[in-house]
């Protein structure tokens, strides 16, 4: 038995609705009343849904950029640290390398903490390992607050270990 027969009374209304949907037939008075409201609804829903989505994407890209920044900063700081002749200049050079690496990714060096550990305790002895850990607080983008009330999106951390060579 076919789905629709020619004698089916709903066929006429189905045909009429299909013609109206395809804009082949004139709209009824009820349909004329709602004409143009789709543009308003689409604009409202697009703003309501797209603004948070775009903000989420920007926040995630800030966190990803911060993650890349701390990995590069920790790696460069550890390499710079083992190349210096004494611990005081090594720590200063490592902190400067972290500041430069973070600035390359657009992050403020004030939001980062640098920690250095050595095994054994003498960081300049041949064969010892130097581990530099960099932590960065990634702030939420586009917030108009001052530094006293700063909301953070995340805190990212990376560490790098280098071996002090026998020959310098």
């Amino acid at each position: 038995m076919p789905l629709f027969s020619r004698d089916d009374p709903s066929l006429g209304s189905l045909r009429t609705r299909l013609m109206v949907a395809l804009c082949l037939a004139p709209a009824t008075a009820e349909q004329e009343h709602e004409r143009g409201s789709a543009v308003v609804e689409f604009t409202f829903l697009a703003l309501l849904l797209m603004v948070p989505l775009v903000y989420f994407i920007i926040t995630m890209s800030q966190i990803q950029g911060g993650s890349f920044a701390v990995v590069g900063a920790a790696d460069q700081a550890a390499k710079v640290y083992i190349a210096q002749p004494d611990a005081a200049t090594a720590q200063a050079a490592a902190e400067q390398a972290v500041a430069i690496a973070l600035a390359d990714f657009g992050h403020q060096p004030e939001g980062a903490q640098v920690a250095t550990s050595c095994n054994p305790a003498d960081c300049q002895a041949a064969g010892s390992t130097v581990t530099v850990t960099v932590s960065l607080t990634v702030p939420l983008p586009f917030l108009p607050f001052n530094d006293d009330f700063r909301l953070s999106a995340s805190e990212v951390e990376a560490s790098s270990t280098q071996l002090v060579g026998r020959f310098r």
Side-chain angles (χ1 to χ4, degrees):
M1 178 170 178
L3 188 60
F4 290 109
S5 69
R6 294 199 181 267
D7 300 333
D8 190 3
S10 66
L11 184 61
S13 65
L14 178 64
R15 181 179 292 156
T16 305
R17 287 195 330 235
L18 183 62
M19 290 182 70
V20 168
L22 295 174
C23 299
L24 299 175
T28 63
E30 179 182 314
Q31 293 163 342
E32 280 292 328
H33 175 67
E34 294 193 13
R35 187 176 214 112
S37 67
V39 173
V40 174
E41 291 172 5
F42 176 77
T43 303
F44 177 72
L45 286 176
L47 284 175
L48 189 65
L49 296 175
M50 293 300 285
V51 169
L53 180 66
V54 168
Y55 190 77
F56 176 75
I57 291 171
I58 291 171
T59 303
M60 288 296 111
S61 63
Q62 288 280 67
I63 293 171
Q64 186 68 32
S67 177
F68 287 147
V70 294
V71 168
D75 188 44
Q76 291 303 313
K79 289 176 182 177
V80 166
Y81 194 96
I82 63 168
Q84 302 303 316
D86 60 8
T89 58
Q91 186 66 31
E95 289 175 1
Q96 184 180 13
V98 167
I100 291 171
L102 292 178
D104 284 347
F105 282 92
H107 291 281
Q108 299 296 325
E110 294 83 30
Q113 294 85 27
V114 180
T116 306
S117 63
C118 302
N119 187 17
D122 183 16
C123 293
Q124 301 301 319
S128 64
T129 58
V130 176
T131 302
V132 177
T133 303
V134 179
S135 300
L136 176 69
T137 302
V138 180
L140 283 172
F142 308 126
L143 289 184
F145 302 123
N146 59 8
D147 290 336
D148 295 335
F149 185 69
R150 198 74 166 147
L151 298 175
S152 64
S154 179
E155 184 166 331
V156 290
E157 180 178 293
S159 61
S160 178
T161 302
Q162 292 288 324
L163 182 64
V164 177
R166 205 160 86 180
F167 304 105
R168 288 192 210 194

